[in-house]
Amino acid sequence: MTYYAGILTSTAKMNLDKDLDYLIIVSGPEPQRTKLEEIVLKQVHKLPGEKVILFRKPLKRTRKSC
């Protein structure tokens, strides 16, 4: 089952020839994001079927003083 959250997401339904069985998105603040990434990478091979993992690291923001 797939749920598209409307205005809460920029994801649109696509008609593709192949389906994924798992889409894993790893994002968030450090150090929790890196810990989750390590757990996912150790265990993902145990899942049957087609898998895609998206890793998103937070952007570093800097302030410029005037």
Side-chain angles (χ1 to χ4, degrees):
M1 183 174 128
T2 303
Y3 173 74
Y4 295 94
I7 63 169
L8 301 177
T9 183
S10 61
T11 305
K13 183 176 180 179
M14 298 172 66
N15 293 322
L16 302 174
D17 293 338
K18 291 187 175 183
D19 263 343
L20 291 176
D21 296 301
Y22 299 94
L23 172 62
I24 303 165
I25 302 171
V26 179
S27 183
E30 293 292 351
Q32 293 85 0
R33 192 207 60 78
T34 297
K35 289 178 183 179
L36 179 58
E37 178 180 328
E38 292 168 357
I39 292 168
V40 167
L41 288 175
K42 286 179 185 175
Q43 297 183 11
V44 72
H45 70 278
K46 296 176 186 177
L47 294 171
E50 296 294 320
K51 307 163 272 271
V52 170
I53 307 170
L54 300 176
F55 297 105
R56 169 69 165 85
K57 294 186 179 185
L59 297 174
K60 290 185 180 183
R61 295 184 184 195
T62 59
R63 288 186 176 206
K64 294 182 180 180
S65 51
C66 298

